[in-house]
Amino acid sequence: MKEMPKYMVIAEQIKQRIMSGEFENDQQLPQEVRLTKAYNVSRITIRKALDVLVSEGLIYRIQGAGTFIKDSNGNNSSVSKNQAELFDIDNLNIKVGDFSVIKPPTDVANMLEINRYDFVYVVNRTMAQGDEPVIYQELYFPIKYIQGMRMDALKSSIIDFLTDDLGVELTAINRNYSIAHLEKNKAVKINVSESESLLLIKEKIHLKDGAVGVFDKSWINTEKFSYNTRLLLD
């Protein structure tokens, strides 16, 4: 019988602690560094274990604050697949630039929680509102999790392609928002200067087993594109 991955073992142990009532709703879990010492594993292993619990709806993260126990009474609402889309794809014109297979740089490998020697699909694309390019996006897909990527799929909804065409089950999305700049050779693609401040959204899309199936970065020119999010709660 195949041995269960270490991160799954740890996820199950933490899950049992949560289910036993050891933690209260919205109580913060011990910091990752403490968990690595408690379970004598690497930080990446702990993060993968926590990703599993996020995908199962037992815990949630707050950027810069930590990881917390989710309300077992169901007061934390989920959103539909359509609402999970970062942009209204139907109202944007998408142009795909580079589409290749590479070994990821260290920062991307860390975000995908894979080895630097694992191959990934890398894609860049621009999104225009009418004839005006307003978003530059880079996407990374680990080939060991996501196979069968097609050029035509990159011109529409990635979430629809993964779920409907490839049958991949997505369970959680983590997003980070910040202000950033684009390198000159990328900035020109959306008609901005390299010194111009843009809204940067980094997104990790998790699969059923807690693995990261997609990591993407989107630079948005908010001077010409109003980015809005509307979530319907139960």
Side-chain angles (χ1 to χ4, degrees):
M1 181 179 295
K2 187 177 181 180
E3 185 177 355
M4 182 181 293
K6 186 66 175 179
Y7 73 90
M8 290 295 292
V9 174
I10 294 172
E12 185 62 29
Q13 291 176 356
I14 297 176
K15 179 179 179 179
Q16 291 304 316
R17 294 174 65 186
I18 294 172
M19 301 302 290
S20 70
E22 180 177 337
F23 304 100
E24 297 180 0
N25 292 337
D26 295 321
Q27 179 179 340
Q28 185 173 6
L29 279 176
Q31 295 181 343
E32 288 182 3
V33 64
R34 291 181 58 190
L35 291 173
T36 60
K37 293 179 180 179
Y39 290 98
N40 193 29
V41 294
S42 70
R43 198 161 185 171
I44 289 179
T45 299
I46 289 297
R47 286 177 180 171
K48 291 181 72 173
L50 295 180
D51 284 341
V52 172
L53 299 179
V54 169
S55 70
E56 292 183 0
L58 293 173
I59 64 175
Y60 64 97
R61 291 186 173 100
I62 297 178
Q63 183 67 29
T67 307
F68 299 82
I69 305 301
K70 206 166 188 179
D71 189 343
S72 60
N73 293 320
N75 293 333
N76 294 285
S77 301
S78 60
V79 299
S80 70
K81 184 180 71 173
N82 289 337
Q83 292 170 303
E85 286 283 3
L86 190 55
F87 305 108
D88 184 358
I89 298 295
D90 292 337
N91 291 315
L92 292 168
N93 298 316
I94 300 176
K95 180 180 179 180
V96 179
D98 295 332
F99 175 30
S100 56
V101 175
I102 65 168
K103 291 180 180 178
T106 301
D107 61 326
V108 172
N110 289 340
M111 293 301 291
L112 289 170
E113 299 172 12
I114 59 175
N115 191 292
R116 275 201 64 193
Y117 300 100
D118 289 327
F119 285 99
V120 301
Y121 294 112
V122 58
V123 179
N124 71 63
R125 58 185 191 171
T126 56
M127 301 182 188
Q129 191 169 242
D131 295 326
E132 185 72 47
V134 291
I135 301 164
Y136 177 78
Q137 187 177 58
E138 294 178 350
L139 305 102
Y140 302 87
F141 308 85
I143 292 180
K144 66 180 179 180
Y145 301 134
I146 307 297
Q147 299 178 2
M149 185 59 64
R150 304 193 312 265
M151 177 65 80
D152 65 300
L154 299 170
K155 297 179 181 179
S156 58
S157 166
I158 296 299
I159 288 181
D160 282 350
F161 174 69
L162 293 177
T163 57
D164 299 342
D165 289 37
L166 298 186
V168 175
E169 185 174 350
L170 310 179
T171 56
I173 300 176
N174 296 95
R175 290 176 183 149
N176 172 265
Y177 300 79
S178 62
I179 301 298
H181 305 282
L182 260 176
E183 300 168 13
K184 185 176 181 179
N185 64 321
K186 299 175 182 178
V188 297
K189 297 180 184 293
I190 55 172
N191 299 332
V192 298
S193 69
E194 57 187 319
S195 62
E196 192 163 343
S197 295
L198 306 171
L199 173 62
L200 171 61
I201 303 178
K202 295 181 180 180
E203 180 178 63
K204 293 168 67 174
I205 302 178
H206 296 269
L207 309 181
K208 185 177 181 179
D209 63 357
V212 181
V214 185
F215 169 58
D216 58 74
K217 298 185 284 185
S218 301
W219 289 263
I220 305 167
N221 181 0
T222 55
E223 290 292 323
K224 297 181 178 179
F225 178 77
S226 179
Y227 176 70
N228 299 296
T229 300
R230 180 173 181 263
L231 301 178
L232 300 178
L233 305 181
D234 294 335

